[in-house]
Amino acid sequence: MPELPEVETTMRGIKPHLLGRKITQVLVREPRLRWPVPHNLGQLATGQQIQSVDRRAKYLKIHLGNGAIMVHLGMSGSLRIVDPKVPVQKHDHVDLNLSSGLILRYRDPRKFGSFHWLDGNADSHPLLSSLGPEPLSSDFTGQYLFDTSRGRKVAIKNFLMNSHVVAGVGNIYANEALFMAGIRPTRAAGNVSLTRYRRLADCIKAVLQAAIEKGGTTLRDFVGGTGEAGYFAHALNVYGRSGYPCPVCGRRLREIRIGQRGSVFCSRCQT
DNA sequence: ACGAAGCCCTGCAAGC
DNA sequence: TGCTTGCAGGGCTTCG
C-alpha cells in the first residue's frame, strides 16, 4: 500500500528517466480506475516534453509544456520504468512511452488509483486546492495541529488521516506516529495539549523521513526487476503487530477499529 | 462545519 | 480440494 514515503520514493526513482524526455505515445488498456482516465489524455500528452516531476500529498505530477499528468497510486498502484521487451501483465493499465525507448508503466490490481489531467493552473484542481500542508514542510507544526483541532471531537487518528488537515498521512504512519508520541489513537483531537501536538508533529516527520530513507534502498530498482515495493515492515513498531508485545513495555498490543481502519496501540504507553 | 458511513476493486485468508 | 465469504485499504462523496 503506497503511503507517502513510497510515493516519494517512486517519484525519485522515476524522475531521472522522465526529465527532458518526450512522451511518444499513451496507451490506456483499462480506463476504469478510481475515476475514468481522461479520454483525451493521449491527445494532450503525446509529443510533449517532460519539464519536471513532483509530488503533492500522494499525488505524483508529471509536468508537460501544456499541463500536467497527475497520478495517484491508490493502495495497490505502482509506476515502473520498463523496457518494451517486458511483457505486459495483468493489471498493467497504462503505458507512457518515452522518447528514450523506455516505458513508464502503471499497474494497479485494485484500481483505487487514478490519472488526471491538470491544465495550466495545476494547484487549482479541486483534489489539490483543499489539501492541508505537506507533513514534511515547515508549515506543518504542533501549533498548527493544536489550532486546527480545537473543538474537534473526532478521534485524533482520524484527524491525522484527514487530507484537509494534513496531506498524505495514511493508516500505517498515523498508527506509528501516535505510538511514537505516546498518544492513544481514540483520544478526541480537541483534547490534546499543545505540548503533545508539538511532539506528535515531530514524530510524524521523523517516521515519514525514516521510511523515505529506507524506501531509497527498498525501492531502488525501478528499471527491470520485479519492482516490488517493500512495506518497511521491519521498521514498524505497531502496525500489523497486534497481539505482539509492545517494543517499549512488553504489553500485548491491542487492535481496534477506528473509522473502519485497523488501529494498533499499546494501552500502557499510549494515553 | 462536523462526523460517520458508503463506495470503488481485487487478492488473499479463513471457513465450510 | 474447491468453493464461498469476509476483509483490507485511500480518500473522495454522500448523508445526517
Side-chain angles (χ1 to χ4, degrees), chain A residues 18-104:
Chain A
L18 301 183
L19 289 181
R21 309 295 189 201
K22 280 187 178 174
I23 294 175
T24 56
Q25 192 183 358
V26 177
L27 182 54
V28 179
R29 298 186 190 82
E30 173 57 271
R32 293 170 298 178
L33 303 181
R34 174 74 168 80
W35 286 282
V37 178
H39 66 279
N40 55 349
L41 187 67
Q43 190 184 322
L44 290 161
T46 302
Q48 296 293 323
Q49 187 178 41
I50 298 169
Q51 316 282 339
S52 61
V53 180
D54 58 20
R55 176 188 65 74
R56 175 76 172 105
K58 293 181 191 169
Y59 293 100
L60 262 162
K61 293 185 288 177
I62 300 169
H63 295 272
L64 310 175
N66 59 340
I69 299 172
M70 183 166 81
V71 185
H72 197 289
L73 301 180
M75 60 167 288
S76 60
S78 64
L79 279 169
R80 286 175 300 144
I81 300 288
V82 299
D83 187 276
K85 287 186 294 240
V86 174
V88 171
Q89 293 186 33
K90 197 177 178 183
H91 309 305
D92 284 345
H93 304 314
V94 180
D95 278 0
L96 299 184
N97 291 10
L98 305 169
S99 53
S100 59
L102 297 175
I103 297 171
L104 181 66

Coordinates of all heavy atoms in Angstrom, one line a residue, chain A residues 18-104:
Chain A
L18 N 12.5 10.4 -16.6 CA 11.5 11.2 -17.3 C 11.9 12.6 -17.7 O 11.6 13.1 -18.8 CB 10.3 11.4 -16.3 CG 9.6 10.1 -15.8 CD1 8.4 10.4 -14.9 CD2 9.2 9.2 -17.0
L19 N 12.8 13.3 -16.9 CA 13.1 14.6 -17.2 C 13.7 14.8 -18.6 O 14.6 14.1 -19.0 CB 14.1 15.2 -16.1 CG 13.5 15.4 -14.7 CD1 14.6 15.9 -13.8 CD2 12.3 16.3 -14.8
G20 N 13.2 15.7 -19.3 CA 13.7 16.0 -20.7 C 13.2 15.1 -21.8 O 13.4 15.4 -22.9
R21 N 12.6 14.0 -21.4 CA 12.1 13.0 -22.4 C 10.8 13.6 -23.0 O 10.0 14.3 -22.3 CB 11.8 11.6 -21.8 CG 13.0 11.0 -21.0 CD 14.2 10.8 -21.9 NE 15.2 10.0 -21.2 CZ 16.5 10.0 -21.5 NH1 16.9 10.7 -22.6 NH2 17.3 9.3 -20.8
K22 N 10.5 13.1 -24.2 CA 9.1 13.4 -24.7 C 8.3 12.1 -24.5 O 8.7 11.0 -24.5 CB 9.2 13.7 -26.2 CG 9.7 15.2 -26.4 CD 9.6 15.5 -27.9 CE 10.0 17.0 -28.1 NZ 10.1 17.3 -29.5
I23 N 7.0 12.4 -24.4 CA 6.0 11.3 -24.4 C 5.6 11.0 -25.8 O 5.1 11.9 -26.5 CB 4.8 11.6 -23.5 CG1 5.2 11.8 -22.1 CG2 3.7 10.6 -23.7 CD1 4.1 12.3 -21.2
T24 N 6.0 9.8 -26.3 CA 5.7 9.5 -27.7 C 4.4 8.8 -27.9 O 3.9 8.8 -29.1 CB 6.9 8.6 -28.2 OG1 6.9 7.4 -27.4 CG2 8.2 9.3 -28.2
Q25 N 3.9 8.2 -26.9 CA 2.6 7.5 -27.0 C 2.0 7.2 -25.7 O 2.7 7.0 -24.7 CB 2.7 6.2 -27.8 CG 1.4 5.6 -28.2 CD 1.6 4.2 -28.9 OE1 2.7 3.7 -29.1 NE2 0.5 3.6 -29.3
V26 N 0.7 7.3 -25.6 CA 0.0 7.0 -24.3 C -0.9 5.8 -24.7 O -1.8 5.9 -25.6 CB -0.9 8.2 -23.8 CG1 -1.7 7.8 -22.6 CG2 0.0 9.4 -23.5
L27 N -0.8 4.7 -23.9 CA -1.6 3.5 -24.2 C -2.4 3.2 -22.9 O -1.9 2.9 -21.9 CB -0.7 2.4 -24.5 CG -1.3 1.0 -24.8 CD1 -2.4 1.2 -25.9 CD2 -0.3 0.0 -25.3
V28 N -3.7 3.4 -23.0 CA -4.6 3.1 -21.9 C -5.3 1.8 -22.2 O -6.2 1.7 -23.0 CB -5.6 4.3 -21.7 CG1 -6.6 3.9 -20.5 CG2 -4.9 5.6 -21.4
R29 N -5.0 0.8 -21.4 CA -5.6 -0.5 -21.6 C -6.9 -0.6 -20.8 O -7.8 -1.3 -21.2 CB -4.7 -1.7 -21.2 CG -3.4 -1.7 -22.0 CD -2.6 -3.0 -21.7 NE -1.3 -2.8 -22.3 CZ -0.3 -2.2 -21.7 NH1 -0.5 -1.6 -20.6 NH2 0.8 -2.0 -22.4
E30 N -6.9 0.0 -19.7 CA -8.1 0.0 -18.8 C -8.4 1.3 -18.2 O -7.6 1.8 -17.3 CB -7.8 -1.1 -17.7 CG -8.9 -1.1 -16.6 CD -10.3 -1.4 -17.1 OE1 -11.0 -0.4 -17.5 OE2 -10.7 -2.6 -17.2
P31 N -9.3 2.1 -18.7 CA -9.6 3.4 -18.2 C -10.4 3.5 -17.0 O -10.6 4.5 -16.4 CB -10.4 4.1 -19.4 CG -11.1 2.9 -20.0 CD -10.2 1.7 -19.8
R32 N -11.0 2.3 -16.5 CA -11.9 2.4 -15.4 C -11.1 2.2 -14.1 O -11.1 1.2 -13.4 CB -12.9 1.3 -15.5 CG -13.9 1.5 -16.7 CD -14.7 0.3 -16.9 NE -13.9 -0.9 -17.3 CZ -14.4 -2.1 -17.6 NH1 -15.7 -2.3 -17.4 NH2 -13.6 -3.1 -17.9
L33 N -10.5 3.3 -13.7 CA -9.8 3.4 -12.4 C -10.7 4.0 -11.3 O -12.0 4.1 -11.5 CB -8.5 4.1 -12.5 CG -7.5 3.5 -13.6 CD1 -6.2 4.2 -13.6 CD2 -7.3 2.0 -13.3
R34 N -10.2 4.6 -10.3 CA -11.0 5.3 -9.3 C -11.9 6.3 -9.9 O -13.0 6.5 -9.5 CB -10.0 5.9 -8.3 CG -10.7 6.8 -7.2 CD -11.4 5.9 -6.2 NE -11.8 6.7 -5.0 CZ -12.8 7.5 -4.9 NH1 -13.7 7.6 -6.0 NH2 -13.1 8.2 -3.9
W35 N -11.3 7.1 -10.8 CA -12.1 7.9 -11.7 C -11.6 7.5 -13.2 O -10.5 7.0 -13.4 CB -11.7 9.4 -11.5 CG -12.4 9.9 -10.3 CD1 -13.7 10.3 -10.1 CD2 -11.7 10.2 -9.1 NE1 -13.9 10.8 -8.8 CE2 -12.7 10.7 -8.2 CE3 -10.4 10.1 -8.6 CZ2 -12.4 11.1 -6.9 CZ3 -10.1 10.4 -7.3 CH2 -11.1 11.0 -6.4
P36 N -12.5 7.7 -14.1 CA -12.1 7.3 -15.5 C -10.8 8.1 -15.9 O -10.7 9.3 -15.7 CB -13.3 7.7 -16.3 CG -14.4 7.9 -15.4 CD -13.8 8.3 -14.1
V37 N -9.9 7.4 -16.6 CA -8.8 8.0 -17.2 C -9.3 9.0 -18.3 O -10.1 8.6 -19.1 CB -7.8 7.0 -17.8 CG1 -6.6 7.7 -18.4 CG2 -7.3 6.0 -16.7
P38 N -8.8 10.2 -18.2 CA -9.3 11.2 -19.3 C -9.2 10.6 -20.7 O -8.1 10.1 -21.0 CB -8.5 12.4 -19.1 CG -8.0 12.4 -17.7 CD -7.9 10.9 -17.3
H39 N -10.3 10.7 -21.4 CA -10.3 10.0 -22.8 C -9.3 10.7 -23.7 O -8.8 10.0 -24.6 CB -11.7 10.0 -23.4 CG -12.2 11.4 -23.7 ND1 -12.7 12.3 -22.7 CD2 -12.1 12.1 -24.9 CE1 -13.0 13.4 -23.3 NE2 -12.7 13.4 -24.6
N40 N -9.0 11.9 -23.5 CA -8.1 12.7 -24.4 C -6.7 12.8 -23.8 O -5.9 13.6 -24.2 CB -8.7 14.1 -24.7 CG -8.9 14.9 -23.4 OD1 -8.9 14.3 -22.3 ND2 -9.2 16.1 -23.6
L41 N -6.3 11.9 -22.8 CA -5.0 12.0 -22.2 C -3.9 11.9 -23.2 O -2.9 12.7 -23.2 CB -4.9 10.9 -21.1 CG -3.6 11.0 -20.3 CD1 -3.6 12.3 -19.4 CD2 -3.5 9.8 -19.4
G42 N -4.1 10.9 -24.2 CA -3.1 10.7 -25.2 C -2.9 11.9 -26.1 O -1.8 12.3 -26.4
Q43 N -4.1 12.4 -26.5 CA -4.1 13.6 -27.4 C -3.4 14.8 -26.7 O -2.6 15.5 -27.4 CB -5.6 13.9 -27.6 CG -5.8 15.0 -28.7 CD -7.3 15.3 -28.8 OE1 -8.2 14.4 -28.6 NE2 -7.7 16.5 -29.0
L44 N -3.6 15.0 -25.4 CA -3.0 16.1 -24.7 C -1.5 15.9 -24.5 O -0.7 16.9 -24.5 CB -3.7 16.3 -23.4 CG -5.1 16.8 -23.4 CD1 -5.9 16.5 -22.2 CD2 -5.1 18.3 -23.8
A45 N -1.1 14.7 -24.2 CA 0.3 14.5 -23.7 C 1.3 14.0 -24.8 O 2.5 14.3 -24.7 CB 0.3 13.4 -22.6
T46 N 0.8 13.4 -25.8 CA 1.7 12.9 -26.9 C 2.5 14.1 -27.5 O 1.9 15.1 -27.9 CB 0.9 12.1 -27.9 OG1 0.2 11.1 -27.3 CG2 1.8 11.6 -29.0
G47 N 3.8 13.8 -27.6 CA 4.6 14.9 -28.2 C 5.1 15.9 -27.3 O 6.0 16.7 -27.6
Q48 N 4.6 15.9 -26.1 CA 5.0 16.9 -25.1 C 6.3 16.4 -24.3 O 6.5 15.2 -24.1 CB 3.9 17.1 -24.1 CG 2.7 17.7 -24.6 CD 2.9 19.2 -25.1 OE1 3.6 19.9 -24.5 NE2 2.3 19.5 -26.3
Q49 N 7.1 17.4 -24.0 CA 8.3 17.1 -23.3 C 8.1 17.3 -21.8 O 7.4 18.2 -21.3 CB 9.5 18.1 -23.7 CG 10.8 17.7 -23.1 CD 11.9 18.7 -23.6 OE1 11.7 19.9 -23.7 NE2 13.1 18.1 -23.9
I50 N 8.7 16.4 -21.0 CA 8.5 16.4 -19.5 C 9.5 17.4 -18.9 O 10.7 17.4 -19.1 CB 8.8 15.0 -18.9 CG1 7.8 14.0 -19.5 CG2 8.7 15.1 -17.4 CD1 8.1 12.6 -19.2
Q51 N 8.9 18.4 -18.3 CA 9.6 19.6 -17.7 C 10.1 19.3 -16.3 O 11.2 19.7 -15.9 CB 8.7 20.8 -17.7 CG 7.9 21.1 -19.0 CD 8.8 21.6 -20.1 OE1 9.8 22.2 -19.9 NE2 8.3 21.5 -21.4
S52 N 9.2 18.7 -15.5 CA 9.5 18.5 -14.1 C 8.6 17.4 -13.6 O 7.6 17.1 -14.2 CB 9.4 19.8 -13.3 OG 8.1 20.3 -13.3
V53 N 9.0 16.9 -12.4 CA 8.2 15.8 -11.8 C 8.2 16.2 -10.3 O 9.2 16.4 -9.7 CB 8.8 14.4 -12.0 CG1 8.0 13.4 -11.3 CG2 9.0 14.1 -13.5
D54 N 7.0 16.2 -9.7 CA 7.0 16.5 -8.3 C 5.8 15.7 -7.6 O 5.1 15.0 -8.3 CB 6.9 18.0 -8.0 CG 5.8 18.7 -8.6 OD1 4.8 18.0 -9.0 OD2 5.8 19.9 -8.7
R55 N 5.6 16.0 -6.3 CA 4.6 15.3 -5.6 C 3.8 16.3 -4.7 O 4.4 17.2 -4.2 CB 5.3 14.2 -4.6 CG 4.4 13.5 -3.7 CD 5.1 12.7 -2.7 NE 6.0 13.4 -1.8 CZ 5.5 14.2 -0.8 NH1 4.2 14.2 -0.5 NH2 6.3 14.8 0.0
R56 N 2.5 16.0 -4.6 CA 1.7 16.8 -3.6 C 0.8 15.8 -2.9 O 0.1 15.0 -3.6 CB 0.9 17.9 -4.3 CG -0.1 18.6 -3.4 CD 0.6 19.6 -2.5 NE -0.3 20.5 -1.8 CZ -0.6 20.3 -0.5 NH1 0.0 19.4 0.2 NH2 -1.4 21.2 0.1
A57 N 0.9 15.7 -1.6 CA 0.2 14.6 -0.9 C 0.7 13.3 -1.5 O 1.9 13.1 -1.6 CB -1.3 14.8 -0.9
K58 N -0.2 12.4 -1.9 CA 0.2 11.2 -2.5 C 0.0 11.2 -4.0 O -0.1 10.2 -4.7 CB -0.6 10.0 -1.9 CG -0.2 9.7 -0.4 CD -1.0 8.5 0.1 CE -0.8 8.5 1.6 NZ -1.7 7.5 2.2
Y59 N -0.2 12.4 -4.5 CA -0.3 12.6 -6.0 C 1.0 12.9 -6.6 O 1.8 13.7 -6.1 CB -1.3 13.8 -6.3 CG -2.7 13.5 -5.9 CD1 -3.2 14.1 -4.7 CD2 -3.5 12.8 -6.7 CE1 -4.5 13.9 -4.3 CE2 -4.9 12.6 -6.3 CZ -5.3 13.1 -5.1 OH -6.7 12.9 -4.7
L60 N 1.3 12.2 -7.7 CA 2.5 12.4 -8.4 C 2.2 13.3 -9.7 O 1.2 13.0 -10.3 CB 3.1 11.1 -9.0 CG 4.2 10.4 -8.2 CD1 4.3 8.9 -8.6 CD2 5.5 11.1 -8.6
K61 N 3.0 14.3 -9.9 CA 2.6 15.2 -11.0 C 3.8 15.2 -12.0 O 4.9 15.4 -11.7 CB 2.4 16.6 -10.5 CG 1.1 16.7 -9.7 CD 0.8 18.1 -9.3 CE 1.8 18.6 -8.3 NZ 1.5 20.0 -7.9
I62 N 3.4 15.0 -13.3 CA 4.4 15.0 -14.4 C 4.1 16.2 -15.2 O 3.0 16.2 -15.9 CB 4.3 13.7 -15.2 CG1 4.6 12.5 -14.3 CG2 5.3 13.7 -16.4 CD1 4.3 11.1 -15.0
H63 N 4.9 17.2 -15.1 CA 4.6 18.5 -15.8 C 5.1 18.5 -17.2 O 6.3 18.2 -17.5 CB 5.2 19.6 -15.0 CG 4.6 19.8 -13.6 ND1 3.5 20.6 -13.4 CD2 5.0 19.3 -12.4 CE1 3.2 20.5 -12.1 NE2 4.1 19.7 -11.5
L64 N 4.2 18.9 -18.1 CA 4.5 19.0 -19.5 C 4.4 20.4 -20.0 O 4.0 21.3 -19.1 CB 3.5 18.1 -20.4 CG 3.4 16.6 -19.9 CD1 2.3 15.9 -20.6 CD2 4.7 15.9 -19.9
G65 N 4.6 20.7 -21.2 CA 4.6 22.1 -21.7 C 3.2 22.7 -21.6 O 3.0 23.9 -21.4
N66 N 2.2 21.8 -21.7 CA 0.8 22.3 -21.9 C -0.1 21.9 -20.7 O -1.3 22.1 -20.8 CB 0.2 21.8 -23.2 CG 0.2 20.3 -23.2 OD1 0.9 19.6 -22.4 ND2 -0.7 19.7 -24.0
G67 N 0.5 21.5 -19.6 CA -0.3 21.0 -18.5 C 0.5 19.9 -17.8 O 1.7 19.8 -17.9
A68 N -0.2 19.1 -17.0 CA 0.4 18.0 -16.3 C -0.4 16.8 -16.2 O -1.7 16.9 -16.1 CB 0.8 18.5 -14.9
I69 N 0.2 15.6 -16.1 CA -0.4 14.4 -15.8 C -0.3 14.2 -14.3 O 0.8 14.2 -13.8 CB 0.2 13.2 -16.5 CG1 0.1 13.4 -18.1 CG2 -0.5 11.9 -16.1 CD1 0.9 12.4 -18.9
M70 N -1.4 13.9 -13.6 CA -1.3 13.6 -12.2 C -1.8 12.2 -11.9 O -2.8 11.7 -12.5 CB -2.2 14.6 -11.4 CG -2.2 14.4 -9.9 SD -2.9 15.8 -9.0 CE -4.6 15.4 -9.1
V71 N -1.0 11.5 -11.1 CA -1.3 10.1 -10.9 C -1.4 9.8 -9.4 O -0.6 10.3 -8.6 CB -0.1 9.2 -11.4 CG1 -0.4 7.7 -11.3 CG2 0.2 9.5 -12.9
H72 N -2.4 9.0 -9.0 CA -2.5 8.6 -7.6 C -2.4 7.0 -7.7 O -2.9 6.4 -8.5 CB -3.8 9.0 -7.0 CG -3.8 8.9 -5.5 ND1 -3.8 7.7 -4.8 CD2 -3.8 9.8 -4.5 CE1 -3.9 7.9 -3.5 NE2 -3.8 9.2 -3.3
L73 N -1.6 6.5 -6.7 CA -1.3 5.0 -6.8 C -2.4 4.2 -6.0 O -2.3 3.0 -5.9 CB 0.1 4.7 -6.2 CG 1.2 5.4 -6.9 CD1 2.5 5.0 -6.2 CD2 1.3 5.0 -8.4
G74 N -3.3 4.9 -5.4 CA -4.3 4.2 -4.6 C -3.7 3.4 -3.6 O -2.8 3.8 -2.9
M75 N -4.1 2.1 -3.4 CA -3.4 1.3 -2.5 C -2.7 0.1 -3.1 O -2.0 -0.6 -2.4 CB -4.4 0.8 -1.4 CG -5.5 0.0 -1.8 SD -6.3 -0.7 -0.4 CE -5.1 -2.0 -0.1
S76 N -2.8 -0.1 -4.4 CA -2.1 -1.2 -5.0 C -1.4 -0.7 -6.2 O -0.9 -1.6 -7.0 CB -3.0 -2.3 -5.2 OG -4.1 -2.0 -6.1
G77 N -1.3 0.6 -6.5 CA -0.7 1.0 -7.7 C 0.8 1.1 -7.7 O 1.4 1.2 -6.6
S78 N 1.4 1.0 -8.8 CA 2.9 1.1 -8.9 C 3.2 1.7 -10.3 O 2.5 1.5 -11.3 CB 3.6 -0.2 -8.8 OG 3.3 -1.1 -9.8
L79 N 4.3 2.5 -10.3 CA 4.8 3.1 -11.6 C 6.2 2.6 -11.7 O 7.0 2.7 -10.8 CB 4.8 4.6 -11.5 CG 3.5 5.3 -11.8 CD1 3.6 6.8 -11.4 CD2 3.1 5.2 -13.3
R80 N 6.5 2.0 -12.8 CA 7.9 1.5 -13.0 C 8.4 1.8 -14.4 O 7.6 1.9 -15.4 CB 7.9 0.0 -12.9 CG 7.8 -0.5 -11.4 CD 7.7 -2.0 -11.3 NE 6.6 -2.5 -12.1 CZ 6.6 -3.6 -12.8 NH1 7.7 -4.4 -12.8 NH2 5.5 -4.0 -13.4
I81 N 9.7 2.0 -14.5 CA 10.3 2.2 -15.8 C 10.7 0.8 -16.4 O 11.4 0.1 -15.7 CB 11.6 3.1 -15.7 CG1 11.2 4.4 -15.1 CG2 12.3 3.2 -17.0 CD1 10.5 5.4 -16.1
V82 N 10.1 0.5 -17.5 CA 10.4 -0.9 -18.1 C 10.9 -0.8 -19.5 O 10.6 0.2 -20.2 CB 9.2 -1.8 -18.0 CG1 8.8 -2.0 -16.5 CG2 8.0 -1.3 -18.8
D83 N 11.6 -1.8 -19.9 CA 12.0 -1.9 -21.3 C 10.8 -2.5 -22.1 O 10.0 -3.2 -21.6 CB 13.1 -3.0 -21.4 CG 13.7 -3.0 -22.8 OD1 13.1 -3.8 -23.6 OD2 14.7 -2.4 -23.0
P84 N 10.6 -2.0 -23.4 CA 9.5 -2.5 -24.2 C 9.4 -4.0 -24.3 O 8.3 -4.6 -24.6 CB 9.7 -1.9 -25.5 CG 10.6 -0.7 -25.3 CD 11.4 -1.1 -24.1
K85 N 10.5 -4.7 -24.1 CA 10.5 -6.2 -24.2 C 9.8 -6.8 -23.0 O 9.5 -8.0 -23.0 CB 11.9 -6.7 -24.3 CG 12.6 -6.5 -25.6 CD 13.9 -7.1 -25.7 CE 15.0 -6.5 -24.8 NZ 16.1 -6.0 -25.5
V86 N 9.6 -6.1 -21.9 CA 9.0 -6.6 -20.7 C 7.5 -6.9 -21.0 O 6.8 -6.0 -21.4 CB 9.1 -5.7 -19.5 CG1 8.3 -6.2 -18.3 CG2 10.5 -5.5 -19.1
P87 N 7.1 -8.1 -20.9 CA 5.7 -8.4 -21.3 C 4.7 -7.7 -20.4 O 4.9 -7.6 -19.2 CB 5.6 -10.0 -21.1 CG 6.7 -10.3 -20.2 CD 7.8 -9.3 -20.4
V88 N 3.6 -7.3 -21.1 CA 2.5 -6.7 -20.3 C 1.8 -7.8 -19.5 O 1.6 -8.9 -19.9 CB 1.5 -6.1 -21.3 CG1 0.2 -5.6 -20.6 CG2 2.1 -4.9 -22.0
Q89 N 1.6 -7.4 -18.2 CA 0.9 -8.4 -17.3 C -0.5 -7.9 -17.0 O -0.8 -6.7 -17.2 CB 1.8 -8.5 -16.1 CG 3.1 -9.2 -16.4 CD 3.9 -9.5 -15.1 OE1 3.3 -9.8 -14.1 NE2 5.2 -9.5 -15.2
K90 N -1.2 -8.8 -16.3 CA -2.5 -8.5 -15.8 C -2.4 -7.2 -15.0 O -1.5 -7.1 -14.2 CB -3.0 -9.6 -15.0 CG -4.5 -9.6 -14.7 CD -4.9 -10.9 -14.0 CE -6.4 -10.9 -13.7 NZ -6.8 -12.0 -12.9
H91 N -3.4 -6.3 -15.1 CA -3.4 -5.1 -14.3 C -2.4 -4.0 -14.7 O -2.3 -3.0 -14.0 CB -3.3 -5.4 -12.8 CG -4.2 -6.5 -12.3 ND1 -5.6 -6.4 -12.5 CD2 -3.9 -7.6 -11.6 CE1 -6.1 -7.5 -11.9 NE2 -5.1 -8.2 -11.4
D92 N -1.8 -4.2 -15.8 CA -0.9 -3.1 -16.4 C -1.9 -2.2 -17.2 O -2.1 -2.5 -18.3 CB 0.2 -3.7 -17.3 CG 1.3 -4.3 -16.5 OD1 1.4 -4.0 -15.2 OD2 2.1 -5.0 -17.1
H93 N -2.4 -1.2 -16.5 CA -3.5 -0.4 -17.1 C -3.0 0.7 -18.1 O -3.8 1.0 -19.0 CB -4.3 0.2 -16.0 CG -4.9 -0.8 -15.1 ND1 -5.4 -2.0 -15.5 CD2 -4.9 -0.8 -13.7 CE1 -5.8 -2.7 -14.4 NE2 -5.5 -2.0 -13.3
V94 N -1.9 1.3 -17.8 CA -1.5 2.5 -18.6 C 0.0 2.4 -18.9 O 0.8 2.1 -18.0 CB -1.8 3.8 -17.9 CG1 -1.4 5.0 -18.7 CG2 -3.3 3.9 -17.5
D95 N 0.4 2.7 -20.1 CA 1.8 2.9 -20.5 C 2.0 4.3 -21.0 O 1.2 4.8 -21.8 CB 2.2 1.9 -21.7 CG 2.5 0.5 -21.2 OD1 2.5 0.3 -20.0 OD2 2.8 -0.3 -22.1
L96 N 3.1 5.0 -20.6 CA 3.5 6.2 -21.2 C 4.8 5.9 -21.9 O 5.8 5.6 -21.2 CB 3.7 7.3 -20.2 CG 2.5 7.8 -19.3 CD1 2.9 8.9 -18.4 CD2 1.4 8.2 -20.2
N97 N 4.8 5.9 -23.2 CA 6.0 5.6 -24.0 C 6.9 6.8 -24.0 O 6.4 7.9 -24.3 CB 5.7 5.1 -25.4 CG 5.1 3.7 -25.4 OD1 4.7 3.2 -24.3 ND2 4.9 3.1 -26.6
L98 N 8.2 6.6 -23.8 CA 9.1 7.8 -23.7 C 10.1 7.8 -24.9 O 10.4 6.7 -25.5 CB 9.9 7.7 -22.4 CG 9.1 7.6 -21.1 CD1 9.9 7.2 -19.9 CD2 8.3 8.9 -20.9
S99 N 10.6 9.0 -25.2 CA 11.5 9.1 -26.3 C 12.8 8.4 -26.1 O 13.6 8.2 -27.0 CB 11.7 10.6 -26.6 OG 12.2 11.3 -25.4
S100 N 13.1 8.0 -24.9 CA 14.3 7.2 -24.6 C 14.1 5.8 -25.1 O 15.1 5.0 -25.1 CB 14.5 7.2 -23.1 OG 13.4 6.6 -22.4
G101 N 12.9 5.4 -25.4 CA 12.7 4.0 -25.8 C 12.1 3.2 -24.6 O 11.6 2.1 -24.8
L102 N 12.2 3.7 -23.4 CA 11.6 3.0 -22.3 C 10.2 3.4 -22.1 O 9.7 4.3 -22.7 CB 12.5 3.4 -21.0 CG 13.9 2.9 -21.1 CD1 14.7 3.4 -19.8 CD2 14.1 1.4 -21.2
I103 N 9.6 2.7 -21.1 CA 8.1 2.9 -20.9 C 7.9 3.2 -19.4 O 8.5 2.5 -18.6 CB 7.3 1.7 -21.3 CG1 7.4 1.4 -22.8 CG2 5.8 1.8 -20.9 CD1 6.9 0.1 -23.3
L104 N 7.1 4.1 -19.1 CA 6.6 4.3 -17.7 C 5.3 3.6 -17.6 O 4.3 3.9 -18.3 CB 6.4 5.8 -17.4 CG 5.9 6.1 -16.0 CD1 7.0 5.7 -14.9 CD2 5.5 7.5 -15.8

